């Protein structure tokens, strides 16, 4: 959006303010939300679009109400200065109705109060509660207008406001921490750094309604750190009971000197009646004041306007400031006030960062006016209203004289009420409290003091209150807005507690008889003779035998053994990690410590047939044994080694297509002796190709009837 957009009082668009310039937006946490700009008086922007109680919208989509117009002449130049406030401040235009006024209420949720404001505006304003806030005891809520009611909520619940036009967001803390930096030589043009210890407090005294404190309470109400710091002060804690009404900062020793051991401060909260609430307020106040306040004012270059990816500062953001020359070394602070110039690159944002809420003169004057109004109630035209005091004093004297028939004013002080028929029955009021005696004040049977009420018996039809405590420390039973608790000072740590919704938490419950309509067991044990559900569908006997017709288990089942039955669809393994054996529907396998399969029996292995497969330490396939239709196959992808003292082949052994190497003659039983015999027989034989002549005599082949013939020399080969 390049220009401000203008709207009339009914939020009907009237056009863009193209002639507006010097547009500045100033915001401060829980305070200012202002927009100002200049516009020529002779422009259509001023003459037609800028109307009192009209509206303008900025580039963030936020709407502002035009509340004032200042006209300035500089020679012939006529300029109008326009001041606008965020539409959230229209809450001042709505009177909070008397019918919604709350005189006193306990444990109120923040949404109850915001709903009353929303209803008072006819639903024009709505609220978004973006964080969880504790319940709060509310008193005197709803005087004035709706903005005053919202300020009361902010003060009570400690929230911060982030308006989105007519939707008001309430958070514990607005802004983000995105490591935004204000750093010299990067984006700081000029900066100032101030630290101030004038409001430093290291010992904080606390009081609540009617001047009451936590004196007399057990020291267990304090944290370990708070108790340790107080124990170092003689007499602060005696026999586990608090004797002082102050808290000490853990930084007290850092700031202490020989002349000033503590920097004292005090809070008096008339709206608080509970010690626990006073403690919380005291802790919060001490945390805010136990370190010096500091403030950084930075005039920085808006790098996000010229370079994408640079963070854009926003109200409430956490930023880190670094300018060592002025002793500003990576200081962490929040942007409490931000003045921006969103429609120009020539001007850059000015941020005020601090560790406390920034106050300006408007805030200070508002506090002074509040004090002035209190004083004005005592004066009329500069004079004390003596006629009022005289009338009251006259009535007091009359009442005292009327009371003397039963009241005595002892010389040692106080007021003594003596029963007419029995003077020994007395009621005495002193500065220490109210006492009741039946023996002429020799002993006190009942008393009301600043430390509480002491009585042998309290009789009544109803007892109204906020808290009832029986016991000391963690050996205590309590009844308060949380519910009923016993066994611990903190409700959420008590072993027995019942909240207002009827939810019971107990370490042990013994009941002779009980009917439980609905229940969930989160732990512990169920002890009894047996469990029977569904007339025997699920049962557990006294000996621990469980019987169920069916079941589904999610998680682990531990048992020493499983007998009988069928396990279907399960993943079975001998260990969760390390060396183990696993089985599922895909295979039965052995897995090593490196989570690699080493042996697998699968219905569909490497070749798509059933078999046993083997893998090396890197998970590579090395071989397998497969059974298919025409026989059993032993496969290896590189090398196969058969090693045994004896290897027997039964049946026909085929070496077709095989090459046999590395086999010696001695490796085959009987082969060597057989070959030796053959060689021995062949040694007397002629070599291949040998030839010689043989001369034979005439002979009759051994038959005398034959003639001797056939002799001669013959060639043989």
């Amino acid at each position: 959006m390049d220009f401000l957009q203008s709207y009339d009082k009914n939020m009907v668009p009237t056009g863009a303010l193209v002639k507006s310039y010097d547009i500045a937006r100033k915001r401060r946490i829980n305070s200012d939300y202002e927009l100002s700009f200049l516009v020529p008086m002779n422009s259509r922007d001023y003459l037609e679009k800028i109307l009192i109680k009209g509206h303008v919208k900025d580039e963030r989509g936020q709407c502002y109400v035009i509340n004032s117009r200042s006209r300035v002449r500089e020679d012939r130049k006529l300029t109008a200065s326009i001041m606008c406030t965020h539409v959230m401040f229209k809450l001042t235009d709505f009177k909070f109705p008397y019918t919604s006024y709350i005189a006193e209420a306990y444990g109120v949720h923040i949404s109850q109060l915001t709903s009353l404001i929303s209803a008072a505006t006819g639903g024009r304003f709505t609220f978004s509660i973006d964080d969880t806030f504790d319940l709060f005891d509310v008193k005197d809520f709803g005087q004035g207008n709706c903005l005053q009611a919202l300020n009361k909520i902010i003060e009570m619940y400690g929230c911060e406001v982030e308006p989105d036009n007519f939707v008001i967001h309430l958070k514990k803390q607005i802004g983000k921490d995105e490591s935004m930096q204000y750093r010299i030589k990067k984006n700081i043009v000029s900066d100032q750094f101030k630290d101030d210890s004038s409001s430093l407090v290291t010992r904080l005294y606390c009081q609540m309604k009617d001047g009451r404190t936590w004196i007399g309470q057990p020291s267990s109400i304090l944290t370990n750190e708070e108790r340790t710091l107080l124990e170092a002060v003689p007499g602060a804690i005696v026999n586990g009971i608090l004797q002082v009404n102050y808290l000490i900062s853990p930084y007290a020793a850092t700031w202490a000197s020989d002349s000033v051991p503590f920097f004292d401060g005090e809070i008096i909260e008339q709206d608080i009646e509970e010690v626990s609430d006073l403690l919380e307020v005291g802790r919060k106040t001490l945390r805010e004041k136990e370190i010096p306040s500091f403030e950084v004012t930075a005039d920085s270059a808006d790098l996000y306007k010229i370079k994408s990816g640079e963070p854009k500062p926003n109200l409430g953001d956490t930023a880190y400031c670094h300018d060592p020359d002025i002793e500003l070394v990576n200081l962490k602070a929040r942007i409490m006030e931000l003045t921006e110039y969103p429609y120009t690159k020539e001007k850059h944002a000015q941020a005020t960062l601090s560790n406390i809420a920034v106050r300006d003169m408007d805030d200070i004057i508002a506090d002074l006016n509040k004090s002035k109004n209190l004083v004005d109630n005592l004066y009329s035209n500069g004079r004390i209203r003596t006629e009022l005091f005289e009338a009251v004093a006259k009535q007091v004297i009359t009442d005292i004289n009327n009371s003397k028939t039963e009241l005595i004013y002892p010389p040692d002080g106080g007021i003594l009420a003596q029963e007419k028929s029995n003077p020994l029955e007395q009621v005495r009021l002193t500065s220490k409290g109210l006492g009741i005696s039946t023996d002429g004040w020799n002993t006190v049977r009942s008393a009301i003091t600043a430390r509480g009420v002491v009585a042998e018996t309290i009789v009544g039809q109803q007892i109204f209150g906020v808290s009832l405590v029986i016991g000391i420390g963690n050996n205590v039973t309590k009844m308060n807005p949380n519910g009923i608790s016993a066994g611990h000072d903190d409700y959420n740590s008590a072993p027995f507690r019942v909240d207002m919704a009827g939810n019971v938490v107990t370490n042990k419950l013994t009941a002779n008889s009980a009917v439980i309509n609905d229940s969930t067991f989160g732990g512990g044990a169920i002890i009894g003779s047996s469990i029977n559900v569904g007339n025997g569908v699920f049962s557990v006997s006294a000996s621990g035998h469980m019987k169920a017709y069916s079941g589904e288990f999610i998680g682990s089942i531990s048992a020493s053994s499983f007998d009988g039955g069928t396990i279907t669809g399960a993943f079975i393994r001998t260990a969760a990690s390390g060396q183990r054996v696993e089985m599922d529907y895909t295979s039965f396998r052995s897995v090593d410590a490196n989570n690699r399969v080493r042996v697998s029996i699968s219905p569909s292995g490497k070749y798509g047939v059933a078999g046993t497969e083997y893998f090396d330490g890197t998970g590579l396939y090395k071989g397998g044994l497969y059974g298919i239709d025409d026989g059993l196959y032993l496969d290896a992808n590189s090398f196969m080694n058969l090693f045994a003292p004896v290897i027997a082949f039964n049946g026909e052994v085929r070496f077709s297509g095989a090459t046999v190497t590395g086999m010696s003659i001695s490796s085959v039983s009987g082969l060597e002796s057989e070959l030796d015999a053959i060689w021995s027989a062949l040694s007397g034989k002629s070599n291949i190709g040998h030839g010689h002549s043989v001369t034979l005599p005439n002979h009759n082949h051994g038959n005398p009837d034959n003639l001797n013939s056939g002799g001669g020399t013959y060639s043989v080969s």
Side-chain angles (χ1 to χ4, degrees):
M1 187 183 296
D2 296 329
F3 303 102
L4 289 172
Q5 303 296 313
S6 64
Y7 299 80
D8 67 8
K9 62 182 180 180
N10 295 317
M11 294 300 294
V12 176
T14 58
L17 301 179
V18 297
K19 294 296 184 179
S20 60
Y21 62 97
D22 282 354
I23 302 170
R25 180 174 58 229
K26 180 181 178 182
R27 295 180 291 157
R28 190 163 72 250
I29 292 179
N30 288 352
S31 184
D32 296 335
Y33 265 76
E34 298 176 348
L35 184 74
S36 64
F37 59 93
L38 301 175
V39 63
M41 291 184 63
N42 60 358
S43 66
R44 290 185 59 193
D45 286 358
Y46 177 77
L47 297 174
E48 300 177 5
K49 303 174 185 177
I50 298 177
L51 307 172
I52 286 291
K53 291 302 180 182
H55 301 80
V56 295
K57 181 186 289 185
D58 63 10
E59 90 288 354
R60 297 171 63 245
Q62 298 301 300
C63 296
Y64 298 79
V65 181
I66 300 173
N67 282 324
S68 68
R69 301 179 295 183
S70 301
R71 291 83 168 174
V72 179
R73 174 189 286 277
E74 295 179 1
D75 196 12
R76 294 186 177 182
K77 182 180 179 182
L78 302 177
T79 307
S81 175
I82 312 299
M83 289 294 297
C84 312
T85 56
H86 194 274
V87 292
M88 173 181 66
F89 292 94
K90 279 189 173 184
L91 285 170
T92 57
D93 300 329
F94 294 92
K95 179 71 174 69
F96 196 85
Y98 296 114
T99 55
S100 299
Y101 172 79
I102 299 177
E104 189 172 28
Y106 298 99
V108 178
H109 192 273
I110 188 173
S111 62
Q112 294 178 244
L113 304 183
T114 57
S115 296
L116 293 177
I117 297 177
S118 182
T121 65
R124 188 69 179 96
F125 285 89
T126 58
F127 292 84
S128 174
I129 313 300
D130 297 341
D131 285 312
T132 301
F133 295 92
D134 294 333
L135 303 181
F136 201 86
D137 296 340
V138 176
K139 296 180 181 179
D140 195 24
F141 177 80
Q143 289 188 347
N145 57 47
C146 289
L147 185 61
Q148 290 174 308
L150 176 58
N151 287 334
K152 182 79 170 179
I153 292 174
I154 294 171
E155 177 185 348
M156 289 189 298
Y157 292 91
C159 51
E160 294 184 355
V161 175
E162 189 172 45
D164 183 9
N165 291 327
F166 294 97
V167 179
I168 300 175
H169 295 264
L170 298 181
K171 305 179 179 181
K172 288 186 176 178
Q173 180 173 303
I174 65 173
K176 296 171 290 187
D177 186 354
E178 296 181 337
S179 300
M180 172 72 186
Q181 291 187 0
Y182 288 96
R183 181 176 290 272
I184 193 68
K185 297 182 181 180
K186 179 184 178 183
N187 59 351
I188 290 181
V189 178
S190 64
D191 57 346
Q192 298 179 23
F193 175 40
K194 179 182 73 173
D195 50 11
D196 185 1
S197 64
S198 58
S199 60
L200 183 68
V201 174
T202 59
R203 182 169 63 181
L204 182 67
Y205 289 81
C206 304
Q207 291 187 39
M208 53 185 172
K209 185 178 180 180
D210 300 330
R212 294 185 295 119
T213 68
W214 54 66
I215 292 177
Q217 294 290 321
S219 61
S220 59
I221 66 174
L222 304 178
T223 64
N224 291 333
E225 182 182 51
E226 292 167 347
R227 191 162 49 250
T228 300
L229 291 169
L230 281 180
E231 287 173 345
V233 179
I237 300 176
V238 178
N239 296 326
I241 303 299
L242 293 172
Q243 305 297 322
V244 296
N245 66 315
Y246 56 76
L247 297 174
I248 298 177
S249 167
Y251 301 105
T254 303
W255 302 109
S257 63
D258 294 338
S259 58
V260 183
F262 297 104
F263 292 87
D264 288 337
E266 183 179 29
I267 59 169
I268 301 176
E269 296 289 340
Q270 292 293 344
D271 292 337
I272 293 179
E273 296 184 358
E274 290 293 330
V275 170
S276 59
D277 296 335
L278 182 63
L279 266 176
E280 288 302 317
V281 173
R283 289 164 179 159
K284 181 176 182 295
T285 304
L286 187 59
R287 283 196 299 268
E288 293 173 351
K289 295 186 176 183
E290 65 187 359
I291 59 175
S293 62
F294 62 82
E295 183 176 308
V296 178
T297 303
D299 188 355
S300 63
D302 289 339
L303 299 181
Y304 71 90
K305 293 180 179 179
I306 58 177
K307 183 180 179 182
S308 62
E310 288 291 332
K312 178 181 179 181
N314 204 358
L315 190 65
D317 284 355
T318 300
Y320 300 83
C321 309
H322 188 75
D323 188 353
D325 295 337
I326 61 171
E327 299 181 343
L328 192 59
V329 181
N330 204 30
L331 183 68
K332 182 179 179 180
R334 290 184 68 203
I335 300 177
M336 311 299 288
E337 181 178 319
L338 187 63
T339 301
E340 303 168 281
Y341 304 92
Y343 291 94
T344 178
K345 294 183 179 179
E346 284 71 31
K347 291 186 176 182
H348 303 281
Q350 298 170 350
T352 300
L353 302 95
S354 179
N355 63 339
I356 59 171
V358 179
R359 293 167 58 85
D360 63 2
M361 285 306 299
D362 291 339
D363 297 327
I364 296 171
I365 290 173
D367 286 347
L368 292 176
N369 284 335
K370 183 178 179 181
S371 300
K372 177 177 176 294
N373 290 336
L374 294 175
V375 177
D376 287 344
N377 289 334
L378 301 177
Y379 288 82
S380 177
N381 294 326
R383 297 181 179 180
I384 296 178
R385 300 169 64 186
T386 56
E387 71 280 0
L388 177 62
F389 288 115
E390 289 174 355
V392 172
K394 182 179 179 181
Q395 184 63 43
V396 168
I397 292 172
T398 301
D399 292 341
I400 291 175
N401 289 332
N402 292 336
S403 68
K404 286 184 176 179
T405 57
E406 295 186 2
L407 297 181
I408 301 173
Y409 299 90
D412 56 347
I415 300 174
L416 175 64
Q418 195 173 48
E419 214 280 329
K420 292 180 180 180
S421 60
N422 185 1
L424 295 178
E425 295 184 0
Q426 300 177 358
V427 177
R428 188 167 184 175
L429 176 64
T430 69
S431 60
K432 289 187 176 181
L434 178 67
I436 300 174
S437 174
T438 58
D439 59 0
W441 204 249
N442 291 319
T443 60
V444 178
R445 299 188 64 176
S446 301
I448 301 176
T449 70
R451 295 186 178 184
V453 178
V454 178
E456 297 174 2
T457 305
I458 298 177
V459 180
Q461 294 182 349
Q462 293 181 329
I463 298 177
F464 295 93
V466 178
S467 179
L468 174 64
V469 180
I470 303 173
I472 298 176
N474 289 330
N475 295 321
V476 67
T477 297
K478 286 187 172 184
M479 297 176 64
N480 54 41
N482 291 325
I484 303 173
S485 63
H488 201 283
D489 183 63
D490 179 37
Y491 175 83
N492 293 319
S493 301
F496 172 80
R497 55 187 183 270
V498 183
D499 64 17
M500 294 302 184
N503 299 310
V504 180
V505 176
T506 180
N507 282 356
K508 184 177 181 180
L509 175 64
T510 301
N512 293 331
S513 178
V515 176
I516 302 175
N517 294 326
D518 188 13
S519 64
T520 300
F521 291 92
I526 302 175
I527 300 174
S529 59
S530 64
I531 299 175
N532 190 319
V533 179
N535 196 23
V537 174
F538 174 82
S539 63
V540 181
S541 68
S543 61
H545 178 73
M546 183 180 72
K547 180 180 179 182
Y549 279 80
S550 64
E552 294 181 5
F553 295 89
I554 299 173
S556 300
I557 300 175
S558 299
S560 58
S561 64
F562 290 91
D563 298 328
T566 301
I567 300 176
T568 304
F571 172 65
I572 301 174
R573 62 185 178 187
T574 57
S577 61
Q579 293 185 359
R580 59 193 183 276
V581 175
E582 298 178 348
M583 181 174 68
D584 58 16
Y585 74 97
T586 62
S587 64
F588 180 80
R589 54 194 174 271
S590 173
V591 182
D592 64 14
N594 294 320
N595 210 34
R596 293 188 176 93
V597 176
R598 301 300 297 271
V599 181
S600 172
I601 301 176
S602 171
S604 179
K606 177 180 180 182
Y607 299 106
V609 296
T612 303
E613 297 177 335
Y614 302 88
F615 305 85
D616 64 10
T618 63
L620 293 177
Y621 172 83
K622 287 302 180 180
L625 182 63
Y626 304 94
I628 58 177
D629 294 343
D630 60 349
L632 183 67
Y633 284 77
L634 182 62
D635 175 61
N637 67 343
S638 60
F639 179 74
M640 182 185 297
N641 186 359
L642 299 178
F643 177 80
V646 177
I647 297 177
F649 292 94
N650 297 311
E652 181 181 352
V653 179
R654 300 177 183 175
F655 291 95
S656 57
T659 301
V660 180
T661 61
M663 180 182 290
S664 64
I665 294 174
S666 60
S667 299
V668 181
S669 177
L671 179 58
E672 185 174 13
S673 60
E674 185 68 24
L675 291 176
D676 288 343
I678 293 173
W679 280 111
S680 176
L682 291 175
S683 61
K685 306 297 181 180
S686 63
N687 295 330
I688 296 175
H690 171 73
H692 61 277
S693 60
V694 177
T695 302
L696 297 174
N698 290 324
H699 54 280
N700 59 3
H701 294 285
N703 188 352
D705 294 331
N706 293 335
L707 294 178
N708 289 326
S709 61
T713 299
Y714 300 95
S715 296
V716 296
S717 61

